[in-house]
Amino acid sequence: METIKSFVNDYLVWLSIPKLTLTDILEILILAFLIYHIVNWIKSTRAWMLVKGIIVLCIFSLIASILNFNVILWIISKTINVGIIAVVILFQPELRKALEQLGRKNIVSSFITFDDQKEKNERFSDKTISEIVRATFELSKTKTGALMVIEQNIVLSEYERTGINIDSAISSQLLINIFEHNTPLHDGAVLIRGNRIVAATCYLPLSDNMELSKDLGTRHRAGVGISEVSDSLTITVSEETGKVSIAIGGVLIRNVDGDYLKNKLQSLQRRSGETKKIKLWRGRLKNEKKMD
Protein backbone atom coordinates (compact mmCIF):
# COMPACT_ATOMS: atom_id res chain seq x y z
CA MET A 1 0.00 0.00 0.00
CA GLU A 2 2.82 2.37 0.83
CA THR A 3 4.37 1.66 -2.56
CA ILE A 4 1.15 2.70 -4.35
CA LYS A 5 0.91 5.89 -2.30
CA SER A 6 4.52 6.72 -3.05
CA PHE A 7 3.95 6.13 -6.79
CA VAL A 8 0.89 8.41 -6.79
CA ASN A 9 2.73 11.15 -4.90
CA ASP A 10 5.80 10.97 -7.12
CA TYR A 11 4.35 10.49 -10.60
CA LEU A 12 0.62 11.23 -10.60
CA VAL A 13 0.56 14.43 -8.57
CA TRP A 14 0.09 16.41 -11.79
CA LEU A 15 -3.32 14.75 -12.23
CA SER A 16 -4.71 16.57 -9.21
CA ILE A 17 -7.18 19.31 -10.00
CA PRO A 18 -5.85 22.73 -8.98
CA LYS A 19 -7.93 24.79 -6.61
CA LEU A 20 -9.94 27.34 -8.58
CA THR A 21 -11.27 30.54 -7.11
CA LEU A 22 -13.90 32.88 -8.55
CA THR A 23 -11.10 35.20 -9.66
CA ASP A 24 -9.42 32.39 -11.62
CA ILE A 25 -12.66 31.49 -13.42
CA LEU A 26 -13.31 35.15 -14.26
CA GLU A 27 -9.76 35.51 -15.60
CA ILE A 28 -10.15 32.39 -17.79
CA LEU A 29 -13.41 33.72 -19.23
CA ILE A 30 -11.87 37.12 -20.03
CA LEU A 31 -8.84 35.54 -21.74
CA ALA A 32 -11.05 33.16 -23.72
CA PHE A 33 -13.22 36.08 -24.84
CA LEU A 34 -10.18 38.13 -25.94
CA ILE A 35 -8.47 35.24 -27.74
CA TYR A 36 -11.70 34.33 -29.57
CA HIS A 37 -12.22 37.87 -30.88
CA ILE A 38 -8.55 38.35 -31.78
CA VAL A 39 -8.58 35.13 -33.85
CA ASN A 40 -11.87 36.18 -35.51
CA TRP A 41 -10.41 39.59 -36.37
CA ILE A 42 -7.19 38.08 -37.76
CA LYS A 43 -9.15 35.67 -40.00
CA SER A 44 -11.08 38.56 -41.55
CA THR A 45 -7.97 40.52 -42.57
CA ARG A 46 -4.80 40.05 -44.58
CA ALA A 47 -3.06 39.38 -41.26
CA TRP A 48 -4.34 35.78 -41.45
CA MET A 49 -1.79 35.07 -44.20
CA LEU A 50 0.90 36.54 -41.95
CA VAL A 51 -0.15 34.32 -39.04
CA LYS A 52 0.14 31.22 -41.22
CA GLY A 53 3.63 32.35 -42.22
CA ILE A 54 4.58 32.87 -38.56
CA ILE A 55 3.33 29.36 -37.72
CA VAL A 56 5.56 27.93 -40.47
CA LEU A 57 8.54 29.88 -39.08
CA CYS A 58 7.82 28.63 -35.55
CA ILE A 59 7.75 25.03 -36.77
CA PHE A 60 11.01 25.63 -38.64
CA SER A 61 12.56 27.16 -35.47
CA LEU A 62 11.44 24.15 -33.42
CA ILE A 63 13.05 21.75 -35.90
CA ALA A 64 16.23 23.85 -35.88
CA SER A 65 16.28 23.75 -32.07
CA ILE A 66 15.83 19.96 -31.99
CA LEU A 67 18.61 19.44 -34.55
CA ASN A 68 20.88 22.04 -32.91
CA PHE A 69 21.21 24.30 -35.96
CA ASN A 70 23.02 26.95 -33.95
CA VAL A 71 23.64 29.42 -36.79
CA ILE A 72 19.97 29.40 -37.84
CA LEU A 73 18.85 29.84 -34.23
CA TRP A 74 21.26 32.77 -33.82
CA ILE A 75 19.89 34.46 -36.97
CA ILE A 76 16.30 33.97 -35.76
CA SER A 77 17.10 35.40 -32.31
CA LYS A 78 18.75 38.49 -33.83
CA THR A 79 15.98 39.22 -36.36
CA ILE A 80 12.87 38.56 -34.26
CA ASN A 81 12.79 42.09 -32.75
CA VAL A 82 13.12 43.71 -36.17
CA GLY A 83 10.42 41.37 -37.48
CA ILE A 84 7.94 42.44 -34.79
CA ILE A 85 8.50 46.13 -35.63
CA ALA A 86 8.09 45.38 -39.36
CA VAL A 87 4.79 43.59 -38.71
CA VAL A 88 3.44 46.56 -36.74
CA ILE A 89 4.42 48.95 -39.56
CA LEU A 90 3.02 46.75 -42.37
CA PHE A 91 -0.29 46.08 -40.65
CA GLN A 92 -0.79 49.51 -39.10
CA PRO A 93 -4.10 50.08 -41.00
CA GLU A 94 -5.51 46.76 -39.74
CA LEU A 95 -4.41 47.46 -36.15
CA ARG A 96 -5.95 50.92 -36.26
CA LYS A 97 -9.20 49.50 -37.64
CA ALA A 98 -9.29 46.86 -34.89
CA LEU A 99 -8.94 49.52 -32.18
CA GLU A 100 -11.68 51.61 -33.81
CA GLN A 101 -13.99 48.59 -33.90
CA LEU A 102 -13.21 47.86 -30.25
CA GLY A 103 -14.32 51.37 -29.35
CA ARG A 104 -17.63 50.96 -31.20
CA LYS A 105 -18.27 47.34 -30.19
CA ASN A 106 -21.39 46.37 -28.28
CA ILE A 107 -20.10 43.85 -25.71
CA VAL A 108 -23.57 42.43 -24.99
CA SER A 109 -24.10 41.45 -28.63
CA SER A 110 -20.92 39.36 -28.49
CA PHE A 111 -22.51 37.06 -25.94
CA ILE A 112 -26.15 37.14 -27.08
CA THR A 113 -27.00 36.40 -30.71
CA PHE A 114 -30.19 38.11 -31.85
CA ASP A 115 -32.37 36.97 -34.75
CA ASP A 116 -31.15 39.64 -37.17
CA GLN A 117 -27.56 38.55 -36.50
CA LYS A 118 -28.37 34.92 -37.29
CA GLU A 119 -29.47 35.97 -40.78
CA LYS A 120 -25.97 37.34 -41.41
CA ASN A 121 -24.65 33.76 -41.43
CA GLU A 122 -25.94 33.54 -44.98
CA ARG A 123 -23.26 35.00 -47.25
CA PHE A 124 -25.72 35.92 -50.01
CA SER A 125 -29.11 34.74 -51.25
CA ASP A 126 -30.22 32.89 -54.38
CA LYS A 127 -31.79 36.13 -55.60
CA THR A 128 -28.42 37.87 -55.35
CA ILE A 129 -26.80 35.12 -57.45
CA SER A 130 -29.52 35.41 -60.10
CA GLU A 131 -29.22 39.19 -60.27
CA ILE A 132 -25.42 39.09 -60.59
CA VAL A 133 -25.50 36.42 -63.32
CA ARG A 134 -28.26 38.26 -65.23
CA ALA A 135 -26.42 41.59 -65.06
CA THR A 136 -23.11 40.02 -66.08
CA PHE A 137 -24.44 38.49 -69.29
CA GLU A 138 -26.59 41.50 -70.18
CA LEU A 139 -23.40 43.56 -70.00
CA SER A 140 -21.62 40.87 -72.02
CA LYS A 141 -24.20 41.09 -74.84
CA THR A 142 -23.62 44.82 -75.26
CA LYS A 143 -19.83 44.54 -74.75
CA THR A 144 -19.98 46.87 -71.76
CA GLY A 145 -16.85 46.59 -69.60
CA ALA A 146 -17.50 45.65 -65.98
CA LEU A 147 -15.60 44.62 -62.87
CA MET A 148 -17.43 43.17 -59.84
CA VAL A 149 -15.66 42.03 -56.66
CA ILE A 150 -17.57 39.62 -54.41
CA GLU A 151 -16.18 39.78 -50.90
CA GLN A 152 -15.81 36.62 -48.82
CA ASN A 153 -14.06 36.22 -45.45
CA ILE A 154 -11.39 38.91 -45.83
CA VAL A 155 -13.04 42.32 -45.45
CA LEU A 156 -12.04 44.75 -48.23
CA SER A 157 -12.67 48.00 -46.35
CA GLU A 158 -9.42 49.61 -47.53
CA TYR A 159 -10.55 49.23 -51.16
CA GLU A 160 -14.12 50.23 -50.31
CA ARG A 161 -12.82 53.59 -49.08
CA THR A 162 -11.30 54.32 -52.51
CA GLY A 163 -14.74 54.30 -54.13
CA ILE A 164 -18.12 55.95 -53.71
CA ASN A 165 -20.49 54.57 -51.06
CA ILE A 166 -23.71 53.11 -52.43
CA ASP A 167 -25.02 50.62 -49.82
CA SER A 168 -27.87 49.36 -51.96
CA ALA A 169 -29.73 46.10 -52.47
CA ILE A 170 -28.43 44.15 -55.48
CA SER A 171 -30.41 44.28 -58.71
CA SER A 172 -29.38 43.54 -62.27
CA GLN A 173 -30.79 46.89 -63.43
CA LEU A 174 -28.63 48.82 -60.95
CA LEU A 175 -25.47 46.90 -61.87
CA ILE A 176 -26.10 47.47 -65.58
CA ASN A 177 -26.73 51.16 -64.99
CA ILE A 178 -23.53 51.56 -62.92
CA PHE A 179 -21.36 50.24 -65.77
CA GLU A 180 -23.17 52.13 -68.53
CA HIS A 181 -20.76 54.20 -70.65
CA ASN A 182 -20.31 57.90 -69.84
CA THR A 183 -21.88 57.66 -66.38
CA PRO A 184 -20.10 58.91 -63.21
CA LEU A 185 -19.80 55.43 -61.66
CA HIS A 186 -18.83 53.27 -64.63
CA ASP A 187 -15.06 53.48 -64.12
CA GLY A 188 -13.50 51.20 -61.49
CA ALA A 189 -14.87 48.20 -59.63
CA VAL A 190 -18.12 47.49 -57.80
CA LEU A 191 -17.70 45.90 -54.37
CA ILE A 192 -20.39 43.42 -53.30
CA ARG A 193 -20.69 42.34 -49.68
CA GLY A 194 -23.39 39.80 -48.89
CA ASN A 195 -26.65 40.98 -50.44
CA ARG A 196 -25.54 44.61 -50.83
CA ILE A 197 -23.60 46.71 -53.30
CA VAL A 198 -21.42 48.64 -50.86
CA ALA A 199 -19.36 50.83 -53.21
CA ALA A 200 -18.59 51.64 -56.85
CA THR A 201 -15.60 53.13 -58.71
CA CYS A 202 -13.23 51.32 -56.32
CA TYR A 203 -9.54 51.18 -57.20
CA LEU A 204 -7.92 47.74 -57.05
CA PRO A 205 -4.28 46.59 -57.02
CA LEU A 206 -2.97 45.42 -60.41
CA SER A 207 -1.45 41.97 -60.72
CA ASP A 208 2.19 41.78 -61.79
CA ASN A 209 1.82 38.13 -62.85
CA MET A 210 3.92 37.78 -66.00
CA GLU A 211 2.03 34.63 -67.05
CA LEU A 212 -1.16 36.56 -67.79
CA SER A 213 -1.91 36.95 -71.48
CA LYS A 214 -0.61 40.16 -73.07
CA ASP A 215 -4.01 40.85 -74.64
CA LEU A 216 -5.55 41.42 -71.20
CA GLY A 217 -6.06 45.02 -70.14
CA THR A 218 -6.09 46.88 -66.84
CA ARG A 219 -9.57 45.64 -65.90
CA HIS A 220 -8.52 41.97 -65.99
CA ARG A 221 -5.23 42.65 -64.21
CA ALA A 222 -7.11 44.48 -61.45
CA GLY A 223 -9.51 41.53 -61.13
CA VAL A 224 -6.61 39.10 -60.74
CA GLY A 225 -4.74 41.52 -58.45
CA ILE A 226 -7.50 41.74 -55.83
CA SER A 227 -7.91 37.95 -55.90
CA GLU A 228 -4.18 37.59 -55.14
CA VAL A 229 -4.35 39.66 -51.93
CA SER A 230 -7.74 38.39 -50.69
CA ASP A 231 -10.14 35.46 -50.96
CA SER A 232 -12.61 37.43 -53.10
CA LEU A 233 -14.11 36.28 -56.37
CA THR A 234 -13.93 38.81 -59.22
CA ILE A 235 -16.15 38.90 -62.30
CA THR A 236 -14.76 40.74 -65.33
CA VAL A 237 -16.58 41.57 -68.56
CA SER A 238 -14.32 42.48 -71.47
CA GLU A 239 -15.15 45.73 -73.25
CA GLU A 240 -13.47 44.53 -76.49
CA THR A 241 -14.93 41.01 -76.80
CA GLY A 242 -17.79 40.88 -74.29
CA LYS A 243 -16.37 37.65 -72.84
CA VAL A 244 -16.78 36.96 -69.13
CA SER A 245 -13.87 35.93 -66.90
CA ILE A 246 -13.63 35.16 -63.21
CA ALA A 247 -10.59 35.40 -60.93
CA ILE A 248 -10.10 33.63 -57.61
CA GLY A 249 -6.94 32.79 -55.74
CA GLY A 250 -4.85 34.66 -58.32
CA VAL A 251 -6.09 32.38 -61.15
CA LEU A 252 -8.01 33.84 -64.10
CA ILE A 253 -10.60 31.58 -65.74
CA ARG A 254 -11.66 33.04 -69.08
CA ASN A 255 -14.73 32.77 -71.30
CA VAL A 256 -17.14 31.30 -68.73
CA ASP A 257 -20.87 30.81 -69.40
CA GLY A 258 -23.88 31.53 -67.23
CA ASP A 259 -24.16 28.05 -65.73
CA TYR A 260 -20.48 27.98 -64.79
CA LEU A 261 -20.68 31.39 -63.10
CA LYS A 262 -23.87 30.43 -61.26
CA ASN A 263 -22.32 27.19 -59.99
CA LYS A 264 -19.21 29.05 -58.87
CA LEU A 265 -21.28 31.58 -56.89
CA GLN A 266 -23.40 28.81 -55.36
CA SER A 267 -20.24 27.04 -54.21
CA LEU A 268 -19.29 30.20 -52.28
CA GLN A 269 -22.72 30.57 -50.76
CA ARG A 270 -23.06 29.72 -47.08
CA ARG A 271 -26.58 29.14 -45.81
CA SER A 272 -27.47 29.49 -42.13
CA GLY A 273 -28.66 26.29 -40.53
CA GLU A 274 -27.01 24.11 -43.16
CA THR A 275 -23.76 22.21 -42.89
CA LYS A 276 -21.72 22.46 -46.05
CA LYS A 277 -18.27 21.29 -46.89
CA ILE A 278 -16.08 24.37 -47.29
CA LYS A 279 -13.80 24.27 -50.29
CA LEU A 280 -10.30 25.56 -49.92
CA TRP A 281 -9.58 27.31 -53.19
CA ARG A 282 -6.06 26.86 -54.44
CA GLY A 283 -6.33 27.88 -58.05
CA ARG A 284 -8.53 25.55 -60.09
CA LEU A 285 -10.04 22.39 -58.69
CA LYS A 286 -8.89 19.10 -60.12
CA ASN A 287 -11.96 18.60 -62.30
CA GLU A 288 -11.97 22.16 -63.64
CA LYS A 289 -10.38 23.24 -66.86
CA LYS A 290 -9.03 26.67 -67.57
CA MET A 291 -11.27 28.08 -70.24
CA ASP A 292 -9.90 30.00 -73.19
Side-chain angles (χ1 to χ4, degrees):
M1 193 66 181
E2 292 296 328
T3 306
I4 295 173
K5 286 182 179 178
S6 175
F7 176 79
V8 170
N9 290 332
D10 292 341
Y11 298 102
L12 300 182
V13 67
W14 57 274
L15 291 176
S16 61
I17 299 174
K19 185 178 180 181
L20 292 176
T21 64
L22 182 62
T23 304
D24 296 326
I25 294 172
L26 185 60
E27 190 174 14
I28 291 169
L29 290 174
I30 292 171
L31 286 173
F33 174 81
L34 290 174
I35 291 169
Y36 172 78
H37 282 279
I38 288 170
V39 171
N40 267 352
W41 167 72
I42 289 173
K43 289 185 73 174
S44 66
T45 66
R46 293 181 301 163
W48 181 239
M49 303 175 195
L50 174 72
V51 169
K52 291 191 285 187
I54 291 174
I55 292 171
V56 172
L57 287 176
C58 289
I59 294 171
F60 180 73
S61 301
L62 180 62
I63 294 171
S65 178
I66 293 170
L67 299 177
N68 292 322
F69 291 159
N70 295 323
V71 176
I72 293 175
L73 292 173
W74 180 84
I75 293 171
I76 292 172
S77 66
K78 295 300 180 183
T79 57
I80 189 166
N81 292 333
V82 178
I84 293 171
I85 295 170
V87 166
V88 172
I89 293 171
L90 286 173
F91 291 91
Q92 183 267 339
E94 281 82 3
L95 293 171
R96 178 179 175 180
K97 179 185 172 185
L99 292 173
E100 289 174 351
Q101 288 177 342
L102 183 63
R104 296 194 300 263
K105 195 167 185 64
N106 186 350
I107 303 298
V108 176
S109 65
S110 300
F111 293 100
I112 304 172
T113 304
F114 299 100
D115 291 337
D116 61 335
Q117 290 176 315
K118 291 179 182 177
E119 293 176 1
K120 293 180 182 177
N121 291 330
E122 183 181 66
R123 180 168 286 157
F124 43 76
S125 65
D126 288 334
K127 182 177 184 296
T128 293
I129 293 176
S130 299
E131 295 294 327
I132 292 173
V133 173
R134 186 181 299 117
T136 299
F137 287 92
E138 286 295 326
L139 292 165
S140 175
K141 287 177 186 176
T142 58
K143 293 186 178 180
T144 303
L147 183 58
M148 291 174 268
V149 180
I150 300 170
E151 184 184 271
Q152 293 192 67
N153 293 322
I154 296 179
V155 180
L156 303 175
S157 298
E158 59 185 295
Y159 303 105
E160 177 188 348
R161 288 192 289 268
T162 65
I164 297 173
N165 259 355
I166 293 181
D167 191 24
S168 168
I170 295 175
S171 69
S172 57
Q173 294 89 344
L174 177 57
L175 287 170
I176 292 168
N177 191 65
I178 286 173
F179 290 110
E180 189 64 38
H181 290 294
N182 302 321
T183 56
L185 300 179
H186 86 282
D187 194 20
V190 161
L191 179 59
I192 296 172
R193 178 180 299 141
N195 295 309
R196 310 285 292 181
I197 301 173
V198 294
T201 70
C202 298
Y203 293 103
L204 306 179
L206 298 181
S207 172
D208 56 2
N209 185 353
M210 300 302 294
E211 295 181 3
L212 290 176
S213 175
K214 299 299 181 184
D215 63 343
L216 297 176
T218 305
R219 186 176 285 112
H220 287 84
R221 288 193 171 274
V224 176
I226 190 65
S227 74
E228 290 173 341
V229 299
S230 72
D231 60 352
S232 63
L233 181 143
T234 309
I235 303 171
T236 309
V237 180
S238 172
E239 193 170 348
E240 289 75 23
T241 64
K243 292 181 179 180
V244 177
S245 304
I246 62 173
I248 188 165
V251 176
L252 182 69
I253 305 172
R254 305 177 65 183
N255 195 21
V256 303
D257 57 21
D259 290 335
Y260 187 92
L261 177 58
K262 186 175 181 180
N263 290 335
K264 206 68 166 177
L265 292 172
Q266 286 174 340
S267 70
L268 302 180
Q269 188 181 38
R270 187 195 317 166
R271 296 179 178 277
S272 57
E274 293 182 2
T275 303
K276 287 192 171 184
K277 184 178 180 181
I278 300 174
K279 295 181 179 178
L280 296 176
W281 295 96
R282 297 191 182 280
R284 299 184 301 278
L285 299 179
K286 289 183 179 178
N287 295 329
E288 288 181 354
K289 295 180 179 179
K290 188 173 181 180
M291 299 188 178
D292 296 320

